[in-house]
């Protein structure tokens, strides 16, 4: 038989072959009575059970008291983490801290509720009786099941989701989170680091699927908190965290919805130039390491590396955060660049007249969501040169990348030209060269086809080629002139 912590309870009574049926029934009755006996629980295990939402017996307190105990046990706060650290120091072992971090940081619902700001909606006095009864009913269920934990977390998150947040506001208390990380990483030898790495890797492995298939952010915008919590981990650029935690973070953050990316950019823009520069350097380090160890061949290039692609997409969020945090000035353009559709527009590429008017500039969806423009920013939070990656630019095959850029209908192909902030001016110039060559060939084909189809009786056939006649001077004349 198992107790609440999952450890086996063994009995000193065993049935022997010589035992009578009466003795066997008595022993069996004693074994059944062990479920009602009280077991002394150490203080360390008692606190860990509270963190894991496990209760040994129903509480006899009021509904408000039950709800308050439940709310304090399913997520972490600064005070709770400091309490766990003090207990671990008294016990001489950090096993409780390791189990707690592994439990909370591997569960999206528990981590999403951690380190929240104190809001009036979270005050139990403001909750309705229906909410208190719902939370109390969830507590009375079997809390050993992970499904029940998810129901409780989702219920409390639903109660809080009624709060209207500003575009750049989150429910996460960043100052409290940073103090908590400072206390954790002040522990000698950081014994919890292995559990943290494994938990976060497991978390984002499932988060990518949840974002793509279950659309969890549309259900609760507080899902962004798990990304911000991991983004605040100190020493995120170390070798142990870079190839595990940060790599999985980029893969999950790359599939965030547009609204979530915009909110993350607004939050990161408030970090300051130093912290933003550190995050960009970590991304550059990850991209550089992948380019160095990558086996680039004719069939495989950097455009096919999912880690490089994910890191570039995350760097795009930081790029617009630098614009938001910098100084910009709005320039009003009175020139209408909109091109009206005409009959010739539908004939382009075959026989129609190509429109020579300047085409409107392609707008980035994230820039439109944030309401910013790169051209309006005259002093970003960090220099634009910090986003260049020299080694990546040397590895990019511009011919193939430009082909992917032109094939807009094929969304499976990734092109760095859609992320020009990471390209150096030399690489951008090469991309413009290919674009001009394509336009030149297209104009030549258009002119040749136009000259063939236009009636020769009314118009003089148009020759798309420029003919130059150069008179050659004879050698004798050249000698005389010399």
């Amino acid at each position: 038989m198992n107790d609440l912590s999952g450890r086996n309870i063994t009995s000193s009574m065993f049935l022997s072959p010589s035992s009578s049926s009466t003795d066997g029934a008595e022993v069996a009755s004693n074994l059944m009575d062990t479920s009602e006996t009280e077991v002394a629980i150490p203080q360390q295990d008692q606190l860990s059970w509270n963190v894991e939402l496990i209760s040994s017996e129903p509480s006899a307190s009021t509904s408000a008291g039950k709800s308050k105990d439940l709310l304090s046990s399913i997520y972490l706060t600064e005070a709770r983490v400091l309490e766990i650290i003090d207990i671990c120091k008294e016990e001489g072992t950090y096993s409780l801290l390791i189990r707690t971090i592994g439990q909370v940081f591997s569960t999206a619902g528990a981590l999403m509720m951690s380190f929240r700001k104190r809001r009036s909606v979270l005050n139990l006095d403001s909750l309705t009786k229906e909410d208190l009864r719902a939370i109390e009913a969830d507590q009375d269920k079997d809390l050993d099941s992970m499904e029940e934990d998810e129901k409780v977390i989702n219920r409390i998150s639903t109660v809080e989701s009624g709060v209207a947040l500003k575009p750049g506001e989150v429910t996460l208390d960043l100052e409290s989170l940073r103090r908590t990380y400072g206390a954790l990483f002040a522990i000698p030898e950081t014994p919890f680091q292995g559990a943290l790495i494994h938990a976060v890797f497991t978390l984002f492995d499932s988060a990518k699927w949840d974002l793509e298939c279950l659309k969890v952010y549309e259900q609760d915008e507080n899902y962004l908190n798990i990304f911000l919590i991991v983004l605040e981990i100190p020493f995120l650029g170390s070798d142990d965290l870079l190839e595990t935690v940060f790599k999985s973070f980029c893969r999950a953050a790359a599939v965030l919805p547009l609204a979530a990316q915009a909110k993350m950019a607004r939050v990161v823009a408030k970090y300051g130039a130093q912290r933003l520069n550190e995050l960009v350097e970590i991304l550059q380090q990850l991209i550089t390491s992948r380019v160095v160890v990558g086996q680039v061949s004719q069939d495989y290039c950097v455009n096919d590396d999912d880690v490089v692609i994910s890191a570039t997409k995350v760097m795009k969020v930081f790029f617009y955060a630098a614009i938001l945090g910098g100084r910009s000035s709005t320039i009003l353009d009175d020139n209408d660049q909109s091109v009206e559709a005409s009959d010739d527009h539908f004939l382009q590429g075959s026989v129609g007249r190509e429109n020579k008017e300047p085409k409107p500039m392609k707008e980035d969806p994230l820039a439109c969501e944030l309401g910013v423009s790169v051209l309006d920013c005259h002093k970003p939070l960090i220099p634009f040169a910090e986003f260049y990656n020299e080694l990546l630019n040397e590895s990019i095959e511009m011919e193939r990348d430009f082909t992917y850029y032109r094939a807009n209908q094929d969304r499976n192909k990734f092109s760095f030209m859609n992320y020009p902030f990471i390209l150096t001016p030399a690489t951008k110039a090469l991309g413009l060269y290919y674009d001009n060559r394509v336009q030149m060939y297209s104009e030549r084909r258009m002119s040749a086809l136009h000259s063939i189809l236009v009636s020769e009786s009314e118009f003089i056939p148009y020759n798309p080629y420029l003919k130059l006649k150069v008179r050659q001077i004879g050698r004798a004349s050249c000698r005389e002139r010399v």
Side-chain angles (χ1 to χ4, degrees):
M1 188 175 182
N2 297 331
D3 64 352
L4 295 174
S5 63
R7 290 170 292 191
N8 295 328
I9 298 179
T10 57
S11 177
S12 59
M13 296 176 292
F14 297 89
L15 293 176
S16 61
S18 60
S19 299
S20 60
S21 60
T22 304
D23 296 335
E26 181 178 358
V27 172
S29 177
N30 293 333
L31 286 173
M32 294 297 295
D33 293 339
T34 58
S35 61
E36 300 178 358
T37 58
E38 297 183 356
V39 181
I41 302 173
Q43 184 180 8
Q44 179 178 354
D45 292 341
Q46 179 66 37
L47 184 57
S48 66
W49 292 344
N50 291 336
V51 174
E52 297 174 3
L53 304 178
I54 299 176
S55 177
S56 60
E57 59 182 5
S59 175
S61 59
T62 61
S63 60
K66 287 183 178 181
S67 303
K68 191 173 297 185
D69 292 340
L70 181 61
L71 285 173
S72 64
S73 62
I74 63 176
Y75 61 89
L76 290 179
T77 60
E78 180 183 4
R80 177 170 292 275
V81 173
L82 295 178
E83 181 183 0
I84 294 175
I85 293 176
D86 294 338
I87 292 176
C88 292
K89 290 180 179 179
E90 294 177 359
E91 297 290 335
T93 177
Y94 288 94
S95 58
L96 171 61
L97 180 63
I98 294 173
R99 291 199 304 269
T100 304
I101 290 179
Q103 175 70 20
V104 175
F105 276 79
S106 62
T107 307
L111 189 61
M112 184 174 61
M113 296 296 299
S114 300
F115 306 105
R116 290 287 188 92
K117 294 178 181 178
R118 293 184 178 181
R119 290 185 160 273
S120 58
V121 71
L122 289 180
N123 189 0
L124 293 176
D125 297 336
S126 63
L127 297 180
T128 62
K129 294 181 179 181
E130 290 76 9
D131 295 330
L132 293 175
R133 291 195 191 98
I135 296 175
E136 181 182 356
D138 288 332
Q139 185 186 21
D140 294 336
K141 294 179 182 179
D142 186 12
L143 298 179
D144 292 275
S145 174
M146 183 60 66
E147 296 180 356
E148 297 300 327
D149 295 345
E150 295 290 343
K151 291 180 180 179
V152 177
I153 294 172
N154 292 335
R155 175 60 184 172
I156 300 173
S157 179
T158 303
V159 172
E160 188 185 3
S161 61
V163 182
L165 297 176
K166 297 179 180 180
E169 184 182 3
V170 291
T171 57
L172 181 65
D173 191 351
L174 291 174
E175 297 299 329
S176 176
L177 176 63
R178 290 164 183 168
R179 291 193 300 267
T180 303
Y181 277 135
L184 287 173
F185 282 87
I187 300 175
E189 299 180 0
T190 58
F192 60 89
Q193 185 170 338
L196 177 64
I197 293 175
H198 179 73
V200 174
F201 182 81
T202 305
L203 171 69
F204 285 123
D205 190 26
S206 60
K208 185 176 183 296
W209 184 83
D210 293 340
L211 289 169
E212 290 181 330
C213 301
L214 301 182
K215 309 298 181 182
V216 291
Y217 181 79
E218 286 76 0
Q219 302 174 11
D220 191 354
E221 295 183 359
N222 293 316
Y223 197 83
L224 184 63
N225 289 2
I226 66 174
F227 293 88
L228 298 177
I229 290 175
V230 175
L231 204 60
E232 290 292 331
I233 296 178
F235 312 109
L236 196 59
S238 61
D239 296 337
D240 296 335
L241 277 69
L242 183 67
E243 294 296 331
T244 53
V245 172
F246 199 67
K247 184 189 298 185
S248 60
F249 168 85
C250 291
R251 285 173 174 170
V255 298
L256 280 172
L258 186 62
Q261 294 181 13
K263 178 173 285 190
M264 179 184 289
R266 292 189 178 99
V267 174
V268 175
K270 302 177 183 178
Y271 282 3
Q274 182 178 0
R275 179 56 182 169
L276 180 59
N277 194 16
E278 292 175 357
L279 295 176
V280 173
E281 288 180 356
I282 295 174
L283 281 172
Q284 298 285 21
Q285 184 179 355
L286 179 61
I287 294 175
T288 303
S289 63
R290 293 294 298 184
V291 173
V292 170
V293 302
Q295 299 293 333
V296 180
S297 61
Q298 185 177 1
D299 299 329
Y300 181 82
C301 60
V302 290
N303 301 69
D304 302 323
D305 195 313
D306 61 333
V307 178
V308 175
I309 294 174
S310 301
T312 304
K313 292 181 178 180
V314 175
M315 189 180 294
K316 178 182 176 180
V317 178
F318 296 161
F319 174 75
Y320 283 106
I323 296 177
L324 286 173
R327 289 184 293 180
S328 303
S329 58
T330 304
I331 301 177
L332 298 178
D333 189 5
D334 297 334
N335 297 327
D336 186 12
Q337 294 183 354
S338 60
V339 179
E340 296 182 359
S342 60
D343 296 337
D344 293 338
H345 173 72
F346 301 99
L347 298 176
Q348 288 186 12
S350 57
V351 68
R353 184 178 67 256
E354 185 177 0
N355 198 333
K356 301 300 181 180
E357 296 294 330
K359 298 180 181 178
M361 186 175 59
K362 183 178 179 181
E363 295 183 354
D364 188 87
L366 184 56
C368 297
E369 181 73 17
L370 294 171
V372 298
S373 175
V374 180
L375 300 179
D376 296 340
C377 182
H378 53 83
K379 188 175 182 181
L381 191 59
I382 60 176
F384 289 147
E386 297 294 332
F387 295 92
Y388 298 156
N389 191 301
E390 297 288 346
L391 187 59
L392 176 64
N393 282 263
E394 294 176 1
S395 303
I396 294 177
E397 298 179 12
M398 208 57 200
E399 301 89 344
R400 182 180 299 184
D401 189 85
F402 182 78
T403 304
Y404 294 163
Y405 175 75
R406 297 282 294 186
N408 295 326
Q409 67 276 7
D410 191 356
R411 299 183 181 273
N412 295 326
K413 300 298 184 180
F414 178 84
S415 173
F416 288 99
M417 291 190 66
N418 291 319
Y419 302 83
F421 55 85
I422 202 172
L423 301 178
T424 60
T427 307
K428 294 177 184 178
L430 186 59
L432 291 175
Y433 167 75
Y434 285 117
D435 185 65
N436 292 332
R437 289 284 299 274
V438 170
Q439 290 184 9
M440 183 182 65
Y441 291 147
S442 177
E443 179 69 18
R444 187 175 66 181
R445 288 193 299 267
M446 177 72 77
S447 300
L449 184 60
H450 183 79
S451 63
I452 295 174
L453 297 180
V454 171
S455 175
E456 297 182 1
S457 60
E458 298 179 0
F459 301 96
I460 299 176
Y462 177 72
N463 192 345
Y465 302 100
L466 176 62
K467 294 183 179 180
L468 297 177
K469 294 182 179 180
V470 180
R471 186 178 62 179
Q472 185 177 3
I473 302 175
R475 295 181 180 178
S477 300
C478 291
R479 293 194 187 99
E480 292 177 358
R481 292 186 179 182
V482 173

